[in-house]
Amino acid sequence: MGTMGNTFDVNTVKYGHARKVWREIRHRYPGGGMVSDISDWAAVGKIPAGTAVKFDLSGKTFKAYTDEQIKAATDINTLGINGYLQEDVLVASKNTKASGTVVYAGEIYQYMFDEKVVAILQKITTLPQIVWVQ
């Protein structure tokens, strides 16, 4: 059994399943949504729990942002992030159809994330119900 050749850095993608990322989940968007940008995650093999997303309630879709996309944003509020993924979403290929549940109120462990990304995400003023905890 050979290696799959995944190119992600395990030191920057430290997210895990929901029990490790979330200390407490208080509110989720109803019904979940379909991932609109799955090809961004094909090389990683999953969209990790806790990933920042822009959830479109009317279309029931969401865009999941990579650490690189978050770091590249000149103003984090322009990305429209309004929640975080509750659980890992497995991505087999760029053609995968997948859905996930988006949390907009709860306590999330910040040590599971890249420090620079957390510092940027903490500047989002539209998500006061997300609390970053140690």
Side-chain angles (χ1 to χ4, degrees):
M1 200 162 112
T3 61
M4 294 294 289
N6 286 345
T7 57
F8 66 95
D9 179 350
V10 292
N11 293 320
T12 57
V13 183
K14 294 194 288 188
Y15 320 102
H17 56 79
R19 273 179 252 129
K20 290 183 181 176
V21 174
W22 292 99
R23 180 168 154 196
E24 180 182 355
I25 294 172
R26 295 189 189 113
H27 298 289
R28 304 167 189 85
Y29 288 108
M34 296 297 293
V35 182
S36 64
D37 61 330
I38 204 87
S39 62
D40 290 350
W41 300 93
V44 181
K46 70 177 178 179
I47 305 172
T51 296
V53 302
K54 177 182 181 180
F55 185 64
D56 173 10
L57 275 150
S58 61
K60 293 280 189 197
T61 61
F62 66 85
K63 171 165 180 47
Y65 290 103
T66 64
D67 285 358
E68 291 72 28
Q69 290 168 325
I70 291 167
K71 289 176 186 176
T74 52
D75 176 3
I76 190 63
N77 292 304
T78 62
L79 297 182
I81 293 168
N82 59 359
Y84 296 87
L85 202 55
Q86 178 179 317
E87 67 284 311
D88 289 352
V89 173
L90 299 179
V91 180
S93 74
K94 64 180 182 166
N95 298 318
T96 299
K97 300 284 185 220
S99 64
T101 303
V102 179
V103 176
Y104 66 87
E107 296 180 5
I108 193 165
Y109 288 114
Q110 72 182 49
Y111 67 82
M112 296 296 292
F113 298 84
D114 177 288
E115 289 177 26
K116 291 178 187 168
V117 172
V118 169
I120 295 167
L121 292 174
Q122 287 176 330
K123 294 177 184 175
I124 297 174
T125 58
T126 55
L127 276 173
Q129 297 183 74
I130 292 292
V131 179
W132 292 88
V133 294
Q134 294 292 333

